[in-house]
Amino acid sequence: MTSDPFAVNLAYACSLLPSIAEVCRRIGINRQQFNKYLAGAVRPSRHNMRRICDFFGVTESELLMEPARFAGLVSLRKPAGRGAAPQYLDAVENLHRLSGEMGQYVGWYFRYFYTFGYPGHITRSLAVITEKDGRHLWKNIETGTDPDKAQSRFVGKYEGLAFHLGHRIHIIEYDVLAASSITQLMLYPSYTPRPGHLRGVQTGGSMRRGRKPAASAVVLEFLGERIDIRRALARCGLFEPDEVDDWIKRLIENRIDAGEWVFEIDEI
């Protein structure tokens, strides 16, 4: 039997769950490779070590401590793997595991599109992609003045997830304040160290128009990893088309050409 503290502690943590097979399935590590960890033959890569620690709700230093101390520490906690990632979340976790490199997309963006709720107007909102525990999170804030009610300000807050799948950037967001809508973005990736501009299509539906399903072109303009948030928000709002740069308008134009049957967007 191995005397490697890591292997002993890993085996003890696994014993708190129904089976090693379930642990491997939910973490997303090959069973044969995981058996090598349990035998003390090899140590996990940095990436796999983080996934194991996240699953069991421990730190790497705790997983490497003297086994008696580790057992005492874990016995005082509810194992993260027992309740933190129920089976119905497996599909989302699989998307995170399958997602490609997203590091270059972390940072702040202006988001441009012809708004669903105020026909003929362009929205410029402020969005950010962050990374936490190997997962990429999305937040977007829309603010502006209702063109039909000059004194009426509005704020929209959205949160969601970002993935790099099939050589496309996918973003899914929901309305935090109303919790009544979901929007999906599908964007062309960047082939440079920093994204510059990401162009694609988004789908959703405005409450002002009865949640009628709609699609529009959308562009994300990269601002940087660190910005003056207050100043950036001050530049957001609803705009008449003549208040927006011509090149942005060309990128977000919504048009189905003659002979085409679906709305598609070309790469920049």
Side-chain angles (χ1 to χ4, degrees):
M1 182 176 179
T2 179
S3 60
D4 178 10
F6 167 75
V8 174
N9 292 339
L10 181 61
Y12 178 79
C14 289
S15 73
L16 301 175
L17 293 164
S19 69
I20 293 175
E22 180 178 341
V23 172
C24 292
R25 178 180 62 81
R26 290 171 61 178
I27 298 179
I29 295 179
N30 177 274
R31 174 66 183 271
Q32 184 177 2
Q33 183 67 26
F34 198 81
N35 284 340
K36 294 180 181 180
Y37 302 156
L38 290 171
V42 296
R43 285 280 179 88
S45 65
R46 300 297 302 175
H47 178 66
N48 282 350
M49 179 69 85
R50 183 176 65 184
R51 290 161 68 182
I52 291 169
C53 290
D54 288 347
F55 179 75
F56 288 113
V58 298
T59 65
E60 182 175 346
S61 61
E62 289 171 341
L63 199 52
L64 296 175
M65 67 174 42
E66 193 271 328
R69 288 183 58 207
F70 178 80
L73 179 142
V74 171
S75 66
L76 298 176
R77 303 177 181 175
K78 179 180 179 181
R82 183 174 293 174
Q87 188 170 355
Y88 55 78
L89 293 182
D90 283 355
V92 176
E93 289 304 305
N94 282 337
L95 289 177
H96 285 301
R97 285 192 288 269
L98 293 170
S99 182
E101 176 57 43
M102 284 285 293
Q104 74 191 91
Y105 301 101
V106 170
W108 293 86
Y109 298 82
F110 279 143
R111 174 182 179 180
Y112 297 88
F113 61 95
Y114 277 95
T115 178
F116 297 160
Y118 299 94
H121 290 77
I122 294 172
T123 291
R124 178 198 286 145
S125 62
L126 182 64
V128 63
I129 295 176
T130 58
E131 186 273 337
K132 183 177 182 181
D133 299 329
R135 299 161 179 81
H136 287 84
L137 311 179
W138 163 269
K139 290 186 178 181
N140 178 56
I141 299 178
E142 294 180 3
T143 182
T145 301
D146 187 330
D148 300 326
K149 303 173 184 177
Q151 303 303 316
S152 178
R153 295 282 297 175
F154 66 85
V155 175
K157 295 183 179 181
Y158 304 84
E159 294 183 1
L161 303 170
F163 308 96
H164 191 173
L165 301 166
H167 303 292
R168 298 291 181 264
I169 304 301
H170 300 263
I171 297 170
I172 301 173
E173 66 177 12
Y174 73 97
D175 184 339
V176 174
L177 300 180
S180 61
S181 69
I182 293 176
T183 301
Q184 180 182 357
L185 289 73
M186 183 177 182
L187 309 162
Y188 287 103
S190 172
Y191 302 102
T192 59
R194 281 305 185 195
H197 296 85
L198 304 176
R199 187 189 193 203
V201 171
Q202 64 182 18
T203 59
S206 170
M207 184 184 300
R208 288 175 52 84
R209 297 174 65 82
R211 299 293 186 199
K212 183 185 297 184
S216 71
V218 61
V219 166
L220 301 185
E221 178 185 5
F222 185 69
L223 303 177
E225 288 192 58
R226 293 179 177 83
I227 64 169
D228 185 326
I229 299 175
R230 186 183 298 272
R231 181 176 297 179
L233 279 173
R235 296 182 58 195
C236 294
L238 286 178
F239 300 92
E240 297 283 354
D242 60 8
E243 298 178 290
V244 177
D245 290 342
D246 288 341
W247 67 274
I248 288 287
K249 285 186 290 187
R250 286 195 296 270
L251 292 178
I252 62 173
E253 182 180 9
N254 298 314
R255 184 184 66 224
I256 298 181
D257 293 328
E260 296 182 353
W261 297 96
V262 296
F263 181 52
E264 296 178 327
I265 291 294
D266 293 324
E267 198 164 6
I268 295 177

